[in-house]
Amino acid sequence: MIRACSVSELPEGEALRLEGPVPVSVFHAEGGYYALDDTCTHQDASLADGWIEDCFVECPLHAARFDLRTGVPDCLPAKNAVRTYPVVVADGVIYVDTRAQRDVA
Amino acid sequence: MRTVAVVGTSLAGLRSAQELRAQGFDGRLVMIGAEPPYDRPPLSKNFLLGKVSADDLALAGQDDLDAEWRLGVRAEKLGRDGVTLEDGTTIVADGYVIATGAVARTLGAARCLKGVHTLRTLDDAVSLKRELAAGPGPVVVIGAGFIGAEVASACRLLGHDVTVIEATPVPLASVVGPEMGTVCAGLHAASDVRLIAGVPVAGFAGTDRVTGVRLADGREIPADLVVAGVGARPVTEWLTGSGLAVDDGVLVDSGCVTANPRVIAVGDVARYHCLLRGGRVRAEHWTAACEQAGVAVANLLAGSTVTHFARHGYFWSDQYGRRLQFAGVATEDVRIAEGDVASKRFVATYHRGEALTGVFAIDSARPFTKLRRAL
Ligand SMILES: Cc1cc2nc3c(=O)[nH]c(=O)nc-3n(C[C@H](O)[C@H](O)[C@H](O)COP(=O)(O)OP(=O)(O)OC[C@H]3O[C@@H](n4cnc5c(N)ncnc54)[C@H](O)[C@@H]3O)c2cc1C
Ligand code: FES
């Protein structure tokens, strides 16, 4: 588990990139928190810079939309899903389990 | 509608085919293209730099189309009796998608000199890359538009001595305005690339192979390699005799439909009636090709213009390790919304009165995305 930030630091509609060997980002959307690989599977944009709406993040470069729950894109140009990670909120702090990555089918 | 023929199988053609299937067309789909679908933007960026291969450029989604592919063959004529290919076959369809894009403009005098390149196709990029690998000689890039700037950036990152020559006084001013054009010009200097602006090219030195570029003011800039990034011309010659109106592109309405409701044109080849700007424009950008496809196909299937393309122009560019993004229209009223120009990390907004008309950003994707939404 790695500490992302406190709940108050991540308002709804925002995302935070956690730098690491593989950058992972936490998203706050629709009252829930989600963690995904930060790099768009199409080219090299950071999804944390994207537009968060409903349960999706739209890539800031070419507008592929990824489902925050599954990491699966629902439109081109991205074809491959990004990996998702479990998020835990405890005592007002958001944690991401970056080791428990969930590869999508 | 039983058969649709798509002519041009790059971005706009492929996206149109995908939209046809997504919007329920289950008839015969014939894809006619001189080239297979691949993505051009990386050609002047990561492909020149060797970070992506030709295989990586393939555009996804060809296999899911259930289409008949006629690749490596050009369409020569569009007439009442269908579209005739250079191999002599004719394909008769009920609907036609014109997506033949554009080709790089060339500088007449340079055509027969070795070492002078343009960059539009994968083949162009492969040969340019091969020549760049041959030695560290001086490179002259003609044109400081987006492609010229990207090529200059890639050549510099590959270790070449680079000079950019631009005929207008401020590069990109016609797109991002003079103030931000000046900022873009500064990116060259910051990476030790010489920019000579406001001076047109007069000719070339060299007999068999280029040795230099002559400027209108009498100077001669030595060059081992020249890349001309001087714009693109829509591919419409094959439409002569089709009865379609052509004037710097296929003329279409705000829904990408020609005067014949069974013929649509999308992407770089289409000069459409822009509802946001008023007047006709060609949007020579990646996102426009994608977005026009959905609109145009809906109209083709409906048999008339029922929906319009009314999205703000958007494009990005990668130069010297920085990401530039622009959307909307540049006006004289430019304000810095975030960051600062000196650090070359900022978002600028363009206004007309109280209205936001455009956004330009360097290395600031997140605030750019928010402001683009507000356009
Ligand atoms: C080097 C480069 C970098 C770019 N970078 C960016 C960028 O960073 N951002 C951005 O927004 N845009 C960029 N663009 C622009 C973007 O690539 C184009 O807007 C886009 O490719 C347009 O797609 P299109 O399908 O309309 O045309 P094209 O990509 O030109 O495709 C047309 C296709 O039709 C084929 N064809 C032509 N004539 C015939 C015929 N008679 N019969 C059959 N086939 C035919 C051609 O071979 C070609 O494959 C770049 C372009 C280039 C060249
Ligand atoms: S990089 Fe994300 S859609 Fe292209």
Side-chain angles (χ1 to χ4, degrees):
Chain A
M1 287 283 192
I2 57 169
R3 182 185 190 279
C5 60
S6 71
V7 165
S8 60
E9 287 170 290
L10 195 66
E12 188 167 327
E14 294 293 328
L16 176 74
R17 180 165 51 242
L18 312 174
E19 302 296 344
V22 177
V24 170
S25 287
V26 207
F27 298 82
H28 185 179
E30 280 202 332
Y33 299 95
Y34 306 90
L36 310 177
D37 271 348
D38 182 58
T39 310
C40 179
T41 54
H42 175 234
Q43 273 167 25
D44 60 355
S46 159
L47 293 178
D49 291 337
W51 179 257
I52 299 164
E53 196 165 287
D54 301 329
C55 229
F56 290 88
V57 58
E58 184 184 291
C59 175
L61 204 49
H62 315 119
R65 278 182 11 131
F66 294 88
D67 189 322
L68 293 170
R69 293 159 295 196
T70 60
V72 177
D74 79 335
C75 66
L76 292 165
K79 281 212 102 181
N80 299 322
V82 288
R83 289 174 303 200
T84 61
Y85 305 86
V87 179
V88 177
V89 180
D91 297 330
V93 175
I94 305 166
Y95 298 91
V96 179
D97 193 350
T98 50
R99 281 165 313 165
Q101 56 181 232
R102 293 181 290 224
D103 282 311
V104 264
Chain B
M1 196 160 287
R2 287 215 292 265
T3 302
V4 174
V6 175
V7 186
T9 51
S10 188
L11 184 64
L14 181 68
R15 283 287 189 271
S16 298
Q18 287 166 337
E19 285 289 343
L20 278 163
R21 291 302 189 213
Q23 294 184 30
F25 172 71
D26 59 3
R28 179 178 174 227
L29 179 57
V30 188
M31 303 290 292
I32 302 150
E35 297 175 297
Y38 62 84
D39 211 18
R40 283 175 216 283
L43 294 178
S44 51
K45 307 177 178 75
N46 284 343
F47 182 79
L48 274 191
L49 290 173
K51 290 189 188 167
V52 298
S53 69
D55 286 345
D56 298 326
L57 300 179
L59 283 170
Q62 289 181 62
D63 306 339
D64 315 335
L65 285 176
D66 185 22
E68 277 173 53
W69 291 85
R70 304 284 170 91
L71 290 183
V73 38
R74 286 183 176 276
E76 267 181 348
K77 183 171 171 289
L78 181 64
R80 277 181 193 288
D81 45 354
V83 51
T84 308
L85 313 189
E86 61 184 346
D87 64 7
T89 55
T90 295
I91 287 150
V92 185
D94 310 299
Y96 297 90
V97 179
I98 298 173
T100 44
V103 289
R105 282 183 206 279
T106 49
L107 295 164
R111 234 168 264 152
C112 40
L113 277 180
K114 286 198 195 105
V116 181
H117 294 253
T118 53
L119 180 52
R120 177 81 198 179
T121 65
L122 178 58
D123 288 348
D124 294 341
V126 167
S127 82
L128 177 57
K129 196 167 171 232
R130 192 186 308 123
E131 279 220 282
L132 284 168
V139 175
V140 172
V141 176
I142 303 174
F146 286 107
I147 291 184
E150 290 180 355
V151 169
S153 158
C155 293
R156 185 71 200 116
L157 292 172
L158 290 169
H160 295 267
D161 170 75
V162 184
T163 306
V164 179
I165 296 163
E166 166 61 43
T168 64
V170 181
L172 294 167
S174 62
V175 191
V176 299
E179 205 170 318
M180 289 302 129
T182 305
V183 175
C184 294
L187 296 175
H188 297 291
S191 291
D192 290 326
V193 166
R194 244 166 285 117
L195 172 69
I196 301 175
V199 189
V201 166
F204 296 86
T207 41
D208 176 39
R209 195 186 162 87
V210 72
T211 56
V213 175
R214 290 200 198 102
L215 304 187
D217 63 10
R219 269 182 286 177
E220 183 177 313
I221 315 294
D224 260 2
L225 198 71
V226 173
V227 187
V230 291
R233 173 178 69 69
V235 179
T236 53
E237 305 82 14
W238 68 284
L239 294 169
T240 307
S242 67
L244 296 174
V246 171
D247 175 12
D248 183 38
V250 178
L251 299 188
V252 289
D253 66 11
S254 54
C256 294
V257 182
T258 66
N260 178 346
R262 300 188 313 145
V263 183
I264 57 174
V266 283
D268 284 10
V269 75
R271 192 155 155 241
Y272 70 101
H273 178 76
C274 179
L275 296 175
L276 295 169
R277 289 179 172 219
R280 289 197 187 263
V281 291
R282 278 197 305 120
E284 291 180 89
H285 297 296
W286 194 94
T287 307
C290 295
E291 292 174 347
Q292 285 174 359
V295 170
V297 159
N299 293 331
L300 180 68
L301 294 176
S304 66
T305 304
V306 293
T307 161
H308 307 267
F309 175 65
R311 298 289 293 266
H312 284 284
Y314 162 70
F315 60 81
W316 75 97
S317 175
D318 294 339
Q319 298 172 25
Y320 306 108
R322 298 181 189 276
R323 177 155 291 155
L324 284 60
Q325 291 176 288
F326 178 84
V329 181
T331 59
E332 273 171 26
D333 182 0
V334 190
R335 307 174 197 168
I336 301 303
E338 232 181 285
D340 67 292
V341 174
S343 70
K344 306 225 165 52
R345 198 187 177 93
F346 65 92
V347 184
T349 51
Y350 302 83
H351 305 260
R352 191 174 288 130
E354 279 317 294
L356 176 72
T357 63
V359 192
F360 174 69
I362 299 185
D363 276 351
S364 306
R366 193 186 304 212
F368 173 86
T369 301
K370 292 224 164 84
L371 283 159
R372 180 184 171 195
R373 290 274 168 164
L375 277 178

